[in-house]
Amino acid sequence: MCIDLISSVSPSKTSFLSSFTLFAPSMAVVDLNPAYTTTDFTNSNLSYVSSSARLSHHRRLSFRHLPRSPTPAIRCSVTSDQIQAPVGVDAKDLKQKPECFGVFCLTYDLKAEDQTKSWKKMINVAVSGAAGMISNHLLFKLASGEVFGPDQPIALKLLGSERSFGALEGVAMELEDSLYPLLREVSIGIDPYEIFQDAEWALLIGAKPRGPGMERAGLLDINGQIFAEQGKALNAVASPNVKVMVVGNPCNTNALICLKNAPNIPAKNFHALTRLDENRAKCQLALKAGVFYDKVSNVTIWGNHSTTQVPDFLNAKIHGVPVPEVIRDRKWLEEEFTHVVQTRGGVLIKKWGRSSAASTAVSIVDAIRSLVTPTPEGDWFSTGVYTNGNPYGIAEDIVFSMPCRSNGDGDYEFVKDVIFDDYLRKKIKKSEDELLAEKKCVAHLTGEGIAVCDLPEDTMLPGEM
Ligand code: LMR
């Protein structure tokens, strides 16, 4: 049965709550300021039109928004007693999904709709920190088909925290109101064991941002515990081949903690997001060479998403020509270019007053698309992945950004034909040492004994500058 809703929502009361900070994406300090709103909707009828109507038609649905429960859980804004069966459909056939939000609680049969006959099987995408700024950009891209393609229906499973639950409901409502044809299900909640159920992609954005006076070791511990817990939850309930993209900082070590706590999921399925750094490096090279950034290729970010990351200009190309042959200013490449890319996040925080959010979301899209579409011939992309089996001599058992290629099946392989010089080797070693030190710092979270935290002094996230 296919149901097309016609909806109109009439807000009766809007209450403003005082300012609060979300416990959410670590790449962004999420401050919903001055207020977020909770809105109650008055009830009227729920009406349906015939199943043959196309998804793009206007919909009208009046519903009563359920009052916020003291312990947030996944629940619907449409209650089963409010749902009337459309003409010709027996009410008993109109089932609700147990974990869902609002309009997405309705049961439908994708195959019954003309428009969806050529669609692929629906995929489950879980997003943590879903009420935060990065997610606010990302979710609508996911729902639109921009990421997984115009024939890929999607279920979004949104994980928030108790404090952010009202905002999470707001996000789900905006998703409802956007009428995305490909977005078939939305569920929200604060329990990773519920939200990660059957997830085929897990985009782990939520983490605590480093606060004033907080030691980096403290951040590693606090966020490490979140990612240990989420690793366990993924291990228990996600699809066994789930692909995990860790965005919350410090993302490399968080990814390591996550994968160590998820022994049933292949370690190579875990990624730490360094695509934003790659994009930043491409932009700087394009600026210097005076070309549009689509002419820049083969850029690798090596190492940690921190100020020791190494933007590799040696292997990068502009118009297919090695960068050092196009930009004949080695000093600029080694010093200014490298520094600008390494510290871009911090400069941006100074300008914005918060971490990057839109560009981070775009880079998550790029990172996923690089795994679900074949890599263009001769090119590659950077992603932070588990080092075991890498051909570059990088220490094993850490998560390190390296050059990869994909045939578009969600998997990847390391690129073989990269060159190194002494400068590049030395820089890579520094980032490697940093990650080995971070790893020792979280040994209690990876099941490797007692943590010993002796971090190099200049270990910083880009945002800590
Ligand atoms: C970025 O690179 O923009 C962020 O990771 C910065 C930060 O520390 O939040």
Side-chain angles (χ1 to χ4, degrees), residues 26-28 249 276-277 280 305 344-346 349 355-356 360 461-464:
S26 70
M27 294 192 71
N249 277 320
L276 178 57
D277 306 303
R280 288 169 171 167
H305 175 66
R344 181 88 164 171
I349 287 174
S355 290
S356 56
T360 303
L461 301 171
E464 289 169 4

Side-chain angles (χ1 to χ4, degrees), residues 44 58 105 131 272 317 368 461:
S44 70
H58 265 297
C105 298
K317 292 181 179 155
I368 298 171
L461 301 171

Side-chain angles (χ1 to χ4, degrees), residues 25-29 134 209-210 216 219 247-249 251 273 276-277 280 305-306 309 341-349 354-357 359-360 460-465:
S26 70
M27 294 192 71
V29 179
I134 297 170
R210 180 170 166 172
R216 188 172 161 83
L219 183 69
V247 180
N249 277 320
C251 61
L273 185 81
L276 178 57
D277 306 303
R280 288 169 171 167
H305 175 66
S306 77
Q309 67 178 265
V341 176
Q342 289 171 334
T343 59
R344 181 88 164 171
V347 173
L348 204 127
I349 287 174
R354 56 145 179 85
S355 290
S356 56
S359 58
T360 303
M460 283 194 223
L461 301 171
E464 289 169 4
M465 297 304 297

Side-chain angles (χ1 to χ4, degrees), residues 126 128 201-205 227 234 242-248 251 255 269-275 363-369 371 383-384:
S128 78
W201 286 84
L203 313 177
L204 305 185
I205 299 171
F227 286 88
L234 286 168
V242 60
K243 306 288 187 292
V244 184
M245 185 76 60
V246 177
V247 180
C251 61
N269 288 16
F270 291 77
H271 298 257
L273 185 81
T274 55
R275 187 53 171 268
S363 72
I364 296 170
V365 172
D366 291 342
I368 298 171
R369 283 181 53 79
L371 293 166
T383 179

Side-chain angles (χ1 to χ4, degrees), residues 157-213:
K157 293 162 159 275
L158 308 182
L159 182 69
S161 65
E162 194 157 349
R163 259 162 46 131
S164 71
F165 197 74
L168 194 57
E169 288 179 299
V171 170
M173 287 164 64
E174 286 209 80
L175 285 165
E176 281 187 303
D177 297 344
S178 299
L179 310 182
Y180 286 116
L182 290 165
L183 182 60
R184 309 308 295 204
E185 294 182 16
V186 173
S187 42
I188 63 175
I190 63 169
D191 180 354
Y193 284 85
E194 281 180 352
I195 291 293
F196 292 166
Q197 192 80 45
D198 300 322
E200 287 149 294
W201 286 84
L203 313 177
L204 305 185
I205 299 171
K208 194 171 176 55
R210 180 170 166 172

